[in-house]
Amino acid sequence: MTASPVDLDTYGPYGRGTPTYPFQGRIGSPRFPAEPGRYHLYVAWVCPYAQRAVIVRRLKGLEDVVSLSYVDDERDGRGWAFRQRRGADPINGFDFLEQAYHATEPGYPGHISVPVLWDKQQGVIVSNNYPDITIDLATRFGGGGPDLYPKDRRAEIDELNDWIFHNVNKGVTPGSLEVLDDRLKDRPYLFGEEITEADVRLWPSLVRLAPFPEHKHLWDYTGRLREHDAFGPTHA
Ligand SMILES: N[C@@H](CCC(=O)N[C@@H](CS)C(=O)NCC(=O)O)C(=O)O
């Protein structure tokens, strides 16, 4: 089954609730061991926060380890839903993503966000806390690809990620593109020769900006990642 079409007349527009993060399980904890095949990602094609999880899954070669599906691109008052455009929910047959929340916590009052990491074995949400999801995908299942969160650079990566959140992800602040452009003048990625979690945090915001070729290094960097097969196919 899938949800009926978006119907703003009947259901009104989606009303964003207060962000709450009651689901903050971690892969690798006793409750959620890092077992291949056990977890599923619900993401939205249009959501840059969810896009990060898609990128990391691909970078680490986890396509056969963690399954993934998309909610529809549009919402009405019923929130994220599964429709024909992106397909039915292959795991639970839900029509609406809120069913995953209510299966986890009956009467759950918070807002319904993507990405969601779902535990197929216990039938509950592990996490909807997007920064934890990418870190856990990057570090808990082995997998190939770059070390996105190298132990000796975690503090620096966390610090830059925080800056990226406040100066780019939430809206570009004056001067921030110049700072990034300067940083990238002598390196292909934010931390040097290898892609890290910081690049995964930054790029989904950059590809949504109007063209900025005056920031040549940053512009080239955005194009470089666009060519990367873990990044490019995640964006229209
Ligand atoms: N701070 C965000 C992080 C993730 C996020 O923004 N996801 C968006 C889509 S890009 C979402 O599903 N938000 C829920 C909402 O709009 O109520 C949130 O929880 O809303």
Side-chain angles (χ1 to χ4, degrees):
M1 284 285 286
T2 50
S4 56
V6 166
D7 182 350
L8 295 170
D9 291 339
T10 306
Y11 299 104
Y14 178 75
R16 203 186 155 87
T18 308
T20 47
Y21 296 105
F23 308 119
Q24 297 198 34
R26 301 301 299 258
I27 301 291
S29 65
R31 190 172 174 210
F32 300 112
E35 290 172 11
R38 176 163 169 167
Y39 301 99
H40 183 81
L41 275 168
Y42 288 118
V43 294
W45 180 262
V46 295
C47 175
Y49 293 87
Q51 187 178 6
R52 299 168 176 180
V54 185
I55 292 169
V56 171
R57 174 174 174 265
R58 180 90 194 240
L59 275 171
K60 299 301 289 181
L62 299 176
E63 288 96 331
D64 294 332
V65 174
V66 178
S67 54
L68 176 143
S69 63
Y70 289 88
V71 295
D72 191 35
D73 298 8
E74 290 176 86
R75 286 181 286 181
D76 57 25
R78 299 171 294 173
W80 295 116
F82 298 91
R83 296 197 176 85
Q84 213 171 359
R85 171 173 19 201
R86 303 283 175 202
D89 170 10
I91 303 301
N92 296 301
F94 294 146
D95 292 345
F96 295 96
L97 190 60
E98 69 169 15
Q99 292 170 263
Y101 282 75
H102 291 142
T104 309
E105 185 183 309
Y108 167 78
H111 80 322
I112 309 296
S113 65
V114 285
V116 161
L117 186 62
W118 175 261
D119 178 357
K120 296 183 228 182
Q121 190 170 309
Q122 299 181 73
V124 296
I125 291 174
V126 179
S127 176
N128 63 343
N129 194 31
Y130 64 89
D132 293 342
I133 293 175
T134 46
I135 298 285
D136 286 356
L137 290 177
T139 59
R140 293 298 179 175
F141 290 103
D147 182 356
L148 296 172
Y149 201 47
K151 284 205 170 70
D152 58 340
R153 307 208 76 170
R154 287 184 182 176
E156 286 172 86
I157 292 173
D158 290 347
E159 191 183 336
L160 185 60
N161 285 346
D162 189 56
W163 184 89
I164 290 170
F165 179 70
H166 290 289
N167 292 285
V168 185
N169 298 151
K170 282 177 39 174
V172 177
T173 58
S176 55
L177 296 187
E178 286 79 356
V179 170
L180 291 167
D181 191 54
D182 188 56
R183 183 177 179 113
L184 288 161
K185 67 178 186 287
D186 60 353
R187 60 187 82 179
Y189 304 114
L190 289 168
F191 278 89
E193 296 298 318
E194 294 289 345
I195 294 171
T196 66
E197 170 76 11
D199 300 295
V200 176
R201 299 278 190 106
L202 177 61
W203 187 79
S205 293
L206 294 181
V207 285
R208 286 172 170 79
L209 294 181
F212 49 88
E214 69 278 20
H215 301 301
K216 186 183 179 327
H217 308 297
L218 188 61
W219 180 249
D220 289 350
Y221 163 85
T222 306
R224 190 174 307 127
L225 288 175
R226 176 116 213 177
E227 293 299 310
H228 194 294
D229 68 358
F231 286 75
T234 68
H235 201 76

